[in-house]
Amino acid sequence: MNQLPASYEAYLSGKNADLVATLRPVLQQSAAEMSHGVRVVITLDEVQAHADPTIPFGEIREELL
């Protein structure tokens, strides 16, 4: 799947280019597999994202640490 779900595109909208570059590969992986959503973990120093089997496909959940 080359195109991201609308919910993923909406999440990326307005984010800076560096953050989009960090998140897009994980969102593309999730879209290709169509089985898991994405968890974005945000700390003071970094942002990480990973496919999460506890999140339904098409959803993104942020976790602030």
Side-chain angles (χ1 to χ4, degrees), residues 48-61:
Q48 297 179 351
H50 62 274
D52 187 325
T54 66
I55 300 173
F57 170 69
E59 290 185 23
I60 298 173
R61 296 192 188 154

Side-chain angles (χ1 to χ4, degrees), residues 5-62:
S7 58
Y8 289 4
E9 291 290 354
Y11 183 80
L12 293 176
S13 179
K15 303 248 187 306
N16 73 49
D18 289 337
L19 183 56
V20 170
T22 297
L23 298 174
R24 186 172 291 281
V26 177
L27 298 178
Q28 289 172 323
Q29 175 190 356
S30 171
E33 295 173 357
M34 297 181 70
S35 60
H36 304 312
V38 175
R39 182 172 308 278
V40 177
V41 180
I42 302 168
T43 69
L44 292 175
D45 300 327
E46 64 185 356
V47 175
Q48 297 179 351
H50 62 274
D52 187 325
T54 66
I55 300 173
F57 170 69
E59 290 185 23
I60 298 173
R61 296 192 188 154
E62 290 184 348

